[in-house]
Amino acid sequence: MANSAVGVIFSNIHDENIPELSRHRTMASVPFGGRYRLIDFALSNMVNSGIDTVGIVTKYNYQSLIDHLGSGKDWDLARKDGGIILLPPYSDETDAPYTNRLEALKGITGFPNHRNEEYVIISDCDAIVHIDFSAVLRYHEEKKADITMIYHEETEKVDSSYFITLDPDQTGRVRSVKINPAHGGKENLYINVMVMSRKFLLNMIADAMMMGLTSFGRDILTKQVDTLKIYGYKFEGYYAGVNSLQKYYKHSMELLDQDVRKELFGARDIYTKVRDSAPSKYSENAVVKNSLISDGCLIDGTVENSILFRGVKVGKGSVIKNSIVMQDTVIGENVELNCVITDKNVVIRDRRHLSGCEELPYFIAKGRMI
């Protein structure tokens, strides 16, 4: 059934949630888990569900995203018809970038207009989740829904400045949509993935623009919940929403749990850009415990409960604990790191002692020398 669907992924929505990591890149290209980018999860879910045409909506800072996606061959999307299609932030009517989701959808109407697939799956890049869209599409058809919104039962407080919760009845029909509600225990948190028919999407955009609507959430979902057939699809597997630096750190550390890794990467692959790097090298002084070590690393110290991306160098006598060290970072000798996040190409000189905590990890920006 997913062969009759086309994908749309927003790459820049939610950039403001983690400005530390999205200052020089899109939310979609934020590194995660040693070798992945956040877009890999949304993109792989679509590919694994049989979707072979995906439009990527860009806005700014998307050079690293273009470098990561390339021709799409690592996702089997290097195709003459379909594959990965980058959608610029400008429409035919204006040379200014979009300011909201509705403007962005209006600007890319040429993409769904020229497709023949029946359905459109729209996804953001802030969700780390492994989901079968074929099951969602079957549910959408069975309910004869206008819009199907995927949600997850969340008990923790959401840190995001903008989030949506749903109130579905026993049949799954959504009776109310709330934006940024006060936290009241369990919430049916919308994970920013929805399904609708391609024709419904085009008609909805045309009507919204004609009426001067500006907010997809407030003007369409909340105000038209009684007139539109909006259904909620409950996802009960592992879900991690990246809506703050603290949550990014928390969910990264969860990857050290074997059960989490098995659920995310076990059933179907999560694809990413392949780099033909040399294997990691461990000296006779190296001690590594409960950590994820990517290829191309050189370790001459101690690494515990940490995630090292490709090409990281750890000097002799250094101790790295509970930290996330991104690509090509160089750590000198006799360095101590605890609850630290380094962006790419960071240099930490000898005898530096840096520490944060789980609630407030110490962050080092890209290319900095400490």
Side-chain angles (χ1 to χ4, degrees):
M1 182 177 292
N3 289 329
S4 64
V6 64
V8 173
I9 297 177
F10 282 88
S11 65
N12 285 95
I13 301 288
H14 312 297
D15 282 0
E16 71 279 0
N17 287 343
I18 46 173
E20 300 91 345
L21 289 170
S22 61
R23 186 169 290 114
H24 303 293
R25 57 172 72 91
T26 66
M27 184 77 170
S29 51
V30 167
F32 183 80
R35 62 194 296 261
Y36 301 95
R37 303 292 181 115
L38 291 184
I39 194 174
D40 292 336
F41 295 91
L43 197 54
S44 297
N45 287 333
M46 292 181 180
V47 170
N48 287 332
S49 300
I51 298 170
D52 57 15
T53 301
V54 182
I56 312 293
V57 185
T58 60
K59 189 174 184 181
Y60 46 71
N61 286 344
Y62 50 85
Q63 181 58 50
S64 64
L65 179 63
I66 293 174
D67 176 67
H68 178 69
L69 295 175
S71 65
K73 66 180 179 63
D74 294 307
W75 296 265
D76 192 27
L77 291 176
R79 300 165 183 262
K80 291 183 179 179
D81 179 31
I84 289 179
I85 301 173
L86 289 175
L87 304 172
Y90 311 101
S91 68
D92 295 335
E93 301 176 7
T94 177
D95 57 359
Y98 62 84
T99 59
N100 56 63
R101 193 185 296 268
L102 270 179
E103 284 187 7
L105 289 172
K106 181 184 178 184
I108 67 162
T109 50
F111 172 62
N113 250 327
H114 290 87
R115 301 305 308 175
N116 297 317
E117 290 85 355
E118 186 173 358
Y119 298 106
V120 178
I121 296 176
I122 300 176
S123 175
D124 295 344
C125 291
D126 61 329
I128 299 164
V129 64
H130 199 157
I131 189 167
D132 181 9
F133 286 126
S134 298
V136 182
L137 287 167
R138 285 194 296 270
Y139 178 87
H140 181 80
E141 278 201 340
E142 289 169 3
K143 297 297 184 179
K144 295 181 173 57
D146 292 324
I147 301 174
T148 295
M149 304 173 68
I150 304 177
Y151 69 92
H152 183 267
E153 192 174 85
E154 190 72 24
T155 56
E156 295 184 4
K157 182 179 179 181
V158 182
D159 296 333
S160 175
S161 59
Y162 183 90
F163 64 96
I164 293 174
T165 62
L166 311 179
D167 182 20
D169 61 18
Q170 292 182 346
T171 68
R173 179 79 180 263
V174 175
R175 296 304 178 182
S176 70
V177 177
K178 300 176 183 177
I179 298 176
N180 300 340
H183 182 65
K186 290 183 179 180
E187 300 283 0
N188 295 320
L189 180 68
Y190 169 53
I191 68 171
N192 298 314
V193 184
M194 69 172 59
V195 176
M196 64 188 77
S197 76
R198 184 175 58 85
K199 291 181 179 179
F200 177 85
L201 173 64
L202 292 171
N203 291 334
M204 180 189 68
I205 295 170
D207 291 343
M209 293 300 110
M210 182 177 61
M211 292 185 291
L213 304 183
T214 58
S215 172
F216 187 88
R218 290 186 172 88
D219 293 332
I220 294 179
L221 296 179
T222 60
K223 293 182 180 180
Q224 301 184 38
V225 67
D226 293 328
T227 56
L228 295 177
K229 294 178 65 177
I230 302 177
Y231 278 81
Y233 178 91
K234 185 177 182 180
F235 177 73
E236 298 183 346
Y238 174 83
Y239 161 77
V242 181
N243 45 49
S244 67
L245 186 66
Q246 187 271 334
K247 286 294 179 65
Y248 173 85
Y249 176 83
K250 176 181 182 291
H251 297 316
S252 294
M253 292 295 103
E254 287 173 351
L255 291 179
L256 301 179
D257 185 330
Q258 184 177 358
D259 293 334
V260 172
R261 293 199 305 273
K262 184 177 181 181
E263 181 164 353
L264 273 179
F265 306 107
R268 292 181 174 182
D269 290 334
I270 300 296
Y271 307 103
T272 190
K273 182 178 180 179
V274 176
R275 298 180 185 272
D276 297 323
S277 303
S280 291
K281 182 177 180 180
Y282 303 83
S283 75
E284 59 182 10
N285 302 310
V287 177
V288 178
K289 299 179 181 179
N290 191 38
S291 297
L292 297 180
I293 310 297
S294 301
D295 49 350
C297 294
L298 178 59
I299 302 176
D300 197 23
T302 298
V303 180
E304 295 183 11
N305 303 319
S306 296
I307 299 173
L308 270 57
F309 284 67
R310 296 180 174 106
V312 171
K313 294 179 174 58
V314 180
K316 184 176 181 180
S318 292
V319 178
I320 315 302
K321 293 184 178 180
N322 311 308
S323 296
I324 302 168
V325 184
M326 293 190 189
Q327 184 173 321
D328 295 327
T329 291
V330 177
I331 299 172
E333 297 184 356
N334 300 309
V335 172
E336 292 185 13
L337 301 182
N338 180 56
C339 293
V340 171
I341 301 175
T342 79
D343 207 329
K344 296 170 61 175
N345 301 308
V346 166
V347 176
I348 302 177
R349 293 182 290 183
D350 298 348
R351 298 179 297 280
R352 300 297 191 263
H353 294 189
L354 305 173
S355 180
C357 63
E358 293 182 359
E359 290 72 25
L360 188 64
Y362 188 91
F363 177 76
I364 305 175
K366 182 179 180 180
R368 289 287 304 276
M369 177 179 287
I370 303 293

mmCIF file of all heavy atoms in Angstrom, residues 322-340:
data_model
loop_
_atom_site.group_PDB
_atom_site.id
_atom_site.type_symbol
_atom_site.label_atom_id
_atom_site.label_comp_id
_atom_site.label_asym_id
_atom_site.label_seq_id
_atom_site.Cartn_x
_atom_site.Cartn_y
_atom_site.Cartn_z
ATOM 1 N N ASN A 322 30.328 9.324 30.054
ATOM 2 C CA ASN A 322 28.976 9.871 29.884
ATOM 3 C C ASN A 322 28.935 11.035 28.897
ATOM 4 O O ASN A 322 28.245 12.027 29.119
ATOM 5 C CB ASN A 322 28.426 10.333 31.241
ATOM 6 C CG ASN A 322 28.585 9.284 32.325
ATOM 7 O OD1 ASN A 322 28.191 8.133 32.150
ATOM 8 N ND2 ASN A 322 29.209 9.668 33.435
ATOM 9 N N SER A 323 29.668 10.901 27.810
ATOM 10 C CA SER A 323 29.834 12.023 26.881
ATOM 11 C C SER A 323 29.511 11.616 25.446
ATOM 12 O O SER A 323 29.506 10.428 25.099
ATOM 13 C CB SER A 323 31.253 12.585 26.959
ATOM 14 O OG SER A 323 31.506 13.139 28.237
ATOM 15 N N ILE A 324 29.251 12.638 24.617
ATOM 16 C CA ILE A 324 29.004 12.458 23.190
ATOM 17 C C ILE A 324 30.066 13.256 22.443
ATOM 18 O O ILE A 324 30.105 14.486 22.541
ATOM 19 C CB ILE A 324 27.598 12.950 22.801
ATOM 20 C CG1 ILE A 324 26.530 12.210 23.611
ATOM 21 C CG2 ILE A 324 27.362 12.772 21.308
ATOM 22 C CD1 ILE A 324 25.159 12.830 23.505
ATOM 23 N N VAL A 325 30.918 12.571 21.716
ATOM 24 C CA VAL A 325 32.048 13.212 21.043
ATOM 25 C C VAL A 325 31.855 13.041 19.540
ATOM 26 O O VAL A 325 31.901 11.918 19.024
ATOM 27 C CB VAL A 325 33.387 12.606 21.498
ATOM 28 C CG1 VAL A 325 34.551 13.372 20.859
ATOM 29 C CG2 VAL A 325 33.502 12.635 23.020
ATOM 30 N N MET A 326 31.652 14.149 18.846
ATOM 31 C CA MET A 326 31.307 14.062 17.433
ATOM 32 C C MET A 326 32.538 13.996 16.542
ATOM 33 O O MET A 326 33.677 14.105 16.997
ATOM 34 C CB MET A 326 30.400 15.236 17.046
ATOM 35 C CG MET A 326 29.039 15.180 17.707
ATOM 36 S SD MET A 326 27.893 16.380 17.024
ATOM 37 C CE MET A 326 26.549 16.220 18.211
ATOM 38 N N GLN A 327 32.272 13.854 15.275
ATOM 39 C CA GLN A 327 33.251 13.493 14.259
ATOM 40 C C GLN A 327 34.510 14.354 14.268
ATOM 41 O O GLN A 327 34.461 15.572 14.388
ATOM 42 C CB GLN A 327 32.580 13.583 12.892
ATOM 43 C CG GLN A 327 33.441 13.140 11.723
ATOM 44 C CD GLN A 327 32.639 13.112 10.447
ATOM 45 O OE1 GLN A 327 31.470 12.721 10.436
ATOM 46 N NE2 GLN A 327 33.240 13.547 9.350
ATOM 47 N N ASP A 328 35.649 13.663 14.152
ATOM 48 C CA ASP A 328 36.966 14.284 13.981
ATOM 49 C C ASP A 328 37.373 15.189 15.146
ATOM 50 O O ASP A 328 38.197 16.101 14.980
ATOM 51 C CB ASP A 328 37.033 15.077 12.671
ATOM 52 C CG ASP A 328 36.913 14.174 11.453
ATOM 53 O OD1 ASP A 328 37.387 13.032 11.528
ATOM 54 O OD2 ASP A 328 36.336 14.604 10.436
ATOM 55 N N THR A 329 36.826 14.952 16.312
ATOM 56 C CA THR A 329 37.264 15.673 17.508
ATOM 57 C C THR A 329 38.575 15.062 18.005
ATOM 58 O O THR A 329 38.750 13.849 18.009
ATOM 59 C CB THR A 329 36.192 15.589 18.614
ATOM 60 O OG1 THR A 329 35.063 16.360 18.205
ATOM 61 C CG2 THR A 329 36.705 16.129 19.935
ATOM 62 N N VAL A 330 39.491 15.929 18.429
ATOM 63 C CA VAL A 330 40.797 15.487 18.931
ATOM 64 C C VAL A 330 40.884 15.822 20.409
ATOM 65 O O VAL A 330 40.783 16.989 20.802
ATOM 66 C CB VAL A 330 41.950 16.171 18.160
ATOM 67 C CG1 VAL A 330 43.297 15.740 18.752
ATOM 68 C CG2 VAL A 330 41.871 15.820 16.680
ATOM 69 N N ILE A 331 41.065 14.798 21.225
ATOM 70 C CA ILE A 331 41.188 14.964 22.679
ATOM 71 C C ILE A 331 42.617 14.652 23.073
ATOM 72 O O ILE A 331 43.139 13.570 22.775
ATOM 73 C CB ILE A 331 40.202 14.030 23.410
ATOM 74 C CG1 ILE A 331 38.761 14.372 23.010
ATOM 75 C CG2 ILE A 331 40.370 14.129 24.917
ATOM 76 C CD1 ILE A 331 37.736 13.395 23.524
ATOM 77 N N GLY A 332 43.261 15.608 23.720
ATOM 78 C CA GLY A 332 44.671 15.454 24.078
ATOM 79 C C GLY A 332 44.891 14.449 25.192
ATOM 80 O O GLY A 332 44.021 13.639 25.531
ATOM 81 N N GLU A 333 46.067 14.537 25.803
ATOM 82 C CA GLU A 333 46.436 13.599 26.868
ATOM 83 C C GLU A 333 45.985 14.113 28.231
ATOM 84 O O GLU A 333 45.915 15.320 28.473
ATOM 85 C CB GLU A 333 47.951 13.373 26.858
ATOM 86 C CG GLU A 333 48.454 12.731 25.574
ATOM 87 C CD GLU A 333 49.949 12.429 25.632
ATOM 88 O OE1 GLU A 333 50.590 12.796 26.647
ATOM 89 O OE2 GLU A 333 50.465 11.827 24.668
ATOM 90 N N ASN A 334 45.648 13.138 29.108
ATOM 91 C CA ASN A 334 45.269 13.441 30.504
ATOM 92 C C ASN A 334 44.091 14.416 30.594
ATOM 93 O O ASN A 334 44.053 15.285 31.466
ATOM 94 C CB ASN A 334 46.479 13.986 31.272
ATOM 95 C CG ASN A 334 47.634 12.998 31.302
ATOM 96 O OD1 ASN A 334 47.460 11.839 31.661
ATOM 97 N ND2 ASN A 334 48.807 13.458 30.883
ATOM 98 N N VAL A 335 43.159 14.244 29.691
ATOM 99 C CA VAL A 335 41.928 15.045 29.681
ATOM 100 C C VAL A 335 40.836 14.262 30.410
ATOM 101 O O VAL A 335 40.763 13.036 30.301
ATOM 102 C CB VAL A 335 41.489 15.361 28.239
ATOM 103 C CG1 VAL A 335 40.109 16.011 28.215
ATOM 104 C CG2 VAL A 335 42.511 16.257 27.557
ATOM 105 N N GLU A 336 39.986 14.974 31.127
ATOM 106 C CA GLU A 336 38.833 14.343 31.768
ATOM 107 C C GLU A 336 37.556 15.024 31.295
ATOM 108 O O GLU A 336 37.408 16.242 31.425
ATOM 109 C CB GLU A 336 38.941 14.425 33.294
ATOM 110 C CG GLU A 336 40.068 13.574 33.876
ATOM 111 C CD GLU A 336 40.060 13.579 35.396
ATOM 112 O OE1 GLU A 336 39.047 14.029 35.985
ATOM 113 O OE2 GLU A 336 41.055 13.137 35.989
ATOM 114 N N LEU A 337 36.638 14.233 30.730
ATOM 115 C CA LEU A 337 35.352 14.740 30.271
ATOM 116 C C LEU A 337 34.237 13.947 30.939
ATOM 117 O O LEU A 337 34.295 12.714 30.990
ATOM 118 C CB LEU A 337 35.206 14.611 28.752
ATOM 119 C CG LEU A 337 36.234 15.308 27.853
ATOM 120 C CD1 LEU A 337 35.868 15.096 26.391
ATOM 121 C CD2 LEU A 337 36.326 16.787 28.170
ATOM 122 N N ASN A 338 33.225 14.647 31.429
ATOM 123 C CA ASN A 338 32.064 13.993 32.020
ATOM 124 C C ASN A 338 30.809 14.776 31.635
ATOM 125 O O ASN A 338 30.740 15.996 31.844
ATOM 126 C CB ASN A 338 32.179 13.922 33.541
ATOM 127 C CG ASN A 338 30.969 13.239 34.168
ATOM 128 O OD1 ASN A 338 30.637 12.100 33.814
ATOM 129 N ND2 ASN A 338 30.300 13.922 35.072
ATOM 130 N N CYS A 339 29.837 14.089 31.030
ATOM 131 C CA CYS A 339 28.597 14.731 30.578
ATOM 132 C C CYS A 339 28.897 15.919 29.656
ATOM 133 O O CYS A 339 28.404 17.037 29.861
ATOM 134 C CB CYS A 339 27.747 15.180 31.756
ATOM 135 S SG CYS A 339 27.093 13.808 32.734
ATOM 136 N N VAL A 340 29.698 15.658 28.641
ATOM 137 C CA VAL A 340 30.104 16.685 27.679
ATOM 138 C C VAL A 340 29.603 16.300 26.295
ATOM 139 O O VAL A 340 29.602 15.123 25.921
ATOM 140 C CB VAL A 340 31.639 16.844 27.670
ATOM 141 C CG1 VAL A 340 32.084 17.750 26.529
ATOM 142 C CG2 VAL A 340 32.130 17.388 28.999
#
